[in-house]
């Protein structure tokens, strides 16, 4: 799929393919994602979300499943562990590839160098906007803290 196709269109296409292939987990996961997007649109009273908003929503869904996975592993529920891992794989397939730590650091440094007295919050906001979902917030926060600490 080319990059000019929106994430929402990719989800719809994937849902149709999963339906034809009889892939229940993929179908259910994509339907749920589309429902979450629709709910967010209703909440924001808009017809469409920005790609970055959809990416953030997908990341949130992965995070929910990762938390559930911990509980399933403690309870030794192999059936739910496998299903949840598969759901995470399905959601990750729609996300842009993650940047390497060095690439994140270079972007963060260039943004932070432009500002004289930038706060952590301001730096995070600017860096996350630039990265557009290509890095986890936790990793970015650590890098931004390191850079601001070095400037100290």
């Amino acid at each position: 799929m080319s990059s000019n196709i929106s994430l929402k269109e990719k989800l719809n296409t994937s849902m149709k393919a999963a339906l034809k292939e009889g892939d229940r987990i993929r179908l259910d996961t994509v339907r749920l994602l589309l429902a979450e997007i629709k709910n967010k649109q209703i909440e924001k009273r808009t017809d469409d979300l920005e790609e970055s908003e959809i990416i953030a929503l997908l990341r949130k869904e992965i995070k929910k499943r990762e938390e559930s996975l911990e509980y399933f592993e403690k309870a030794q529920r192999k059936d739910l562990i496998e299903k949840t891992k598969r759901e995470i794989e399905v959601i990750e397939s729609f996300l842009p590839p993650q940047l390497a730590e060095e690439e994140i650091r270079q972007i963060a440094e260039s943004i932070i160098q432009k500002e004289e007295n930038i706060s952590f919050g301001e730096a995070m906001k600017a860096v996350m906007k630039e990265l557009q979902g290509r890095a986890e917030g936790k990793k970015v926060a650590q890098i931004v803290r390191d850079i601001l600490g070095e400037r100290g």
Side-chain angles (χ1 to χ4, degrees), residues 112-123:
I112 292 169
Q113 282 173 358
K114 290 177 189 168
E115 298 291 327
E116 188 62 39
N117 292 316
I118 191 168
S119 73
F120 174 76
E122 293 167 333

Side-chain angles (χ1 to χ4, degrees), residues 13-65:
T13 303
S14 179
M15 183 177 68
K16 291 172 190 165
L19 191 59
K20 285 179 186 169
E21 296 163 11
D23 185 343
R24 288 294 313 172
I25 293 176
R26 185 174 193 83
L27 177 64
D28 292 346
T29 304
V30 173
R31 276 186 175 152
L32 183 106
L33 295 174
L34 287 168
E36 287 295 326
I37 291 169
K38 189 72 177 161
N39 290 339
K40 190 72 163 178
Q41 288 173 326
I42 292 167
E43 179 187 312
K44 289 188 75 182
R45 296 189 174 136
T46 181
D47 289 335
D48 232 355
L49 296 176
E50 298 284 325
E51 288 286 303
S52 60
E53 292 174 299
I54 294 174
I55 289 169
L57 202 129
L58 296 183
R59 291 218 182 285
K60 190 173 155 190
E61 289 300 313
I62 288 175
K63 188 169 246 146
K64 282 184 198 174
R65 282 163 181 76

Side-chain angles (χ1 to χ4, degrees), residues 130-147:
E130 179 70 28
L131 294 174
Q132 296 182 337
R134 294 177 294 161
E136 279 186 17
K138 206 185 299 184
K139 187 184 280 185
V140 175
Q142 182 59 52
I143 291 169
V144 169
R145 268 192 206 96
D146 289 349
I147 294 168

